[in-house]
């Protein structure tokens, strides 16, 4: 059994309903139990593509799946919610990213764990710090990765 953390995001459609449905789908999947759920945060779009604001959240799961199986499950749930991959880094109904998988580090085809950019993204770190302040990423506490990042436009909306 492994404790893993996932980042969820949406900036198209009924964003909150999609994130709720995605969490329910993960919890209903065999070999996955959702154990921690952050608040919902509205966050400014980050990256090179102009697009609307996101709702982001993080969850913790206990899983018997392998990292690749958990990644593939997230990708399947994204597709179930109409995710299209038209524009790289563009708007999406649902994004499910594997952030951490126990103490595992791996770098394979399309699967890098810990997520290589998570320590630079306030929209990941703020919800993650809420549910797992004890975690370290790259040997440093999440809160220390947040120092120097702009969190001023990240708004806690409330429970998911
Ligand atoms: C230069 C080049 C600077 C690329 C930044 C940043 C690319 C973030 C992709 C980048 C660059 C991303 C979300 C988002 C996206 C999200 C919020 C990405 C993938 N996903 N903004 N932008 N939340 N707030 O979930 O993270 S696109
Ligand atoms: Mg993402
Ligand atoms: Mg993704």
């Amino acid at each position: 059994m492994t404790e893993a953390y996932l980042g969820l995001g949406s900036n198209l459609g009924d964003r909150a309903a999609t994130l709720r449905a995605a969490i329910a789908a993960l919890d209903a999947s065999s070999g996955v139990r959702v154990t921690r759920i952050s608040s919902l945060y509205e966050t400014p779009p980050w990256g090179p593509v102009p697009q609307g604001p996101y709702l982001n959240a993080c969850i913790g799961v206990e899983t018997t799946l392998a990292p690749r199986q958990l990644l593939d499950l997230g990708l399947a749930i994204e597709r179930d919610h109409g995710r299209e991959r038209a524009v790289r880094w563009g708007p999406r109904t649902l994004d499910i990213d594997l952030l951490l998988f126990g103490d595992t580090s791996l770098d394979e085809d399309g699967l890098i764990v810990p997520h290589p950019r998570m320590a630079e993204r306030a929209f990941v770190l703020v919800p993650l710090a809420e549910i797992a302040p004890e975690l370290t990423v790259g040997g440093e506490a999440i809160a220390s990765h947040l120092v120097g990042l702009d969190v001023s436009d990240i708004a806690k909306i409330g429970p998911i």
Side-chain angles (χ1 to χ4, degrees):
M1 190 78 85
T2 307
E3 180 176 69
Y5 290 87
L6 302 171
L8 291 87
S10 171
N11 74 341
L12 285 181
D14 186 335
R15 301 171 300 166
T18 300
L19 296 183
R20 272 183 218 116
I23 294 168
L26 285 160
D27 195 51
S29 298
S30 71
V32 180
R33 186 165 64 95
V34 175
T35 55
R36 306 190 203 190
I37 305 178
S38 77
S39 300
L40 207 52
Y41 292 84
E42 189 161 54
T43 65
W46 169 234
V49 179
Q51 55 189 307
Y54 276 79
L55 291 182
N56 284 111
C58 285
I59 63 172
V61 302
E62 291 251 321
T63 187
T64 56
L65 301 183
R68 173 70 61 182
Q69 291 176 306
L70 187 55
L71 176 77
D72 287 346
L73 175 62
L75 293 172
I77 295 170
E78 288 179 357
R79 285 190 289 271
D80 289 343
H81 287 85
R83 171 79 182 264
E84 290 175 7
R85 291 180 177 271
V87 178
R88 190 180 189 202
W89 297 332
R92 67 284 302 270
T93 52
L94 178 63
D95 183 40
I96 302 177
D97 291 336
L98 178 52
L99 302 174
L100 298 167
F101 191 89
D103 292 327
T104 300
S105 292
L106 56 88
D107 183 348
E108 306 174 340
D109 232 24
L111 175 58
I112 307 178
V113 177
H115 189 292
R117 303 251 91 84
M118 64 179 287
E120 303 155 20
R121 295 182 179 172
F123 66 79
V124 172
L125 297 178
V126 170
L128 190 59
E130 180 193 344
I131 58 169
E134 75 281 8
L135 285 183
T136 58
V137 177
E140 299 241 41
I142 295 172
S144 74
H145 289 293
L146 271 167
V147 174
L149 295 183
D150 181 6
V151 298
S152 61
D153 289 327
I154 293 187
K156 189 190 281 197
I157 304 293
I160 286 188

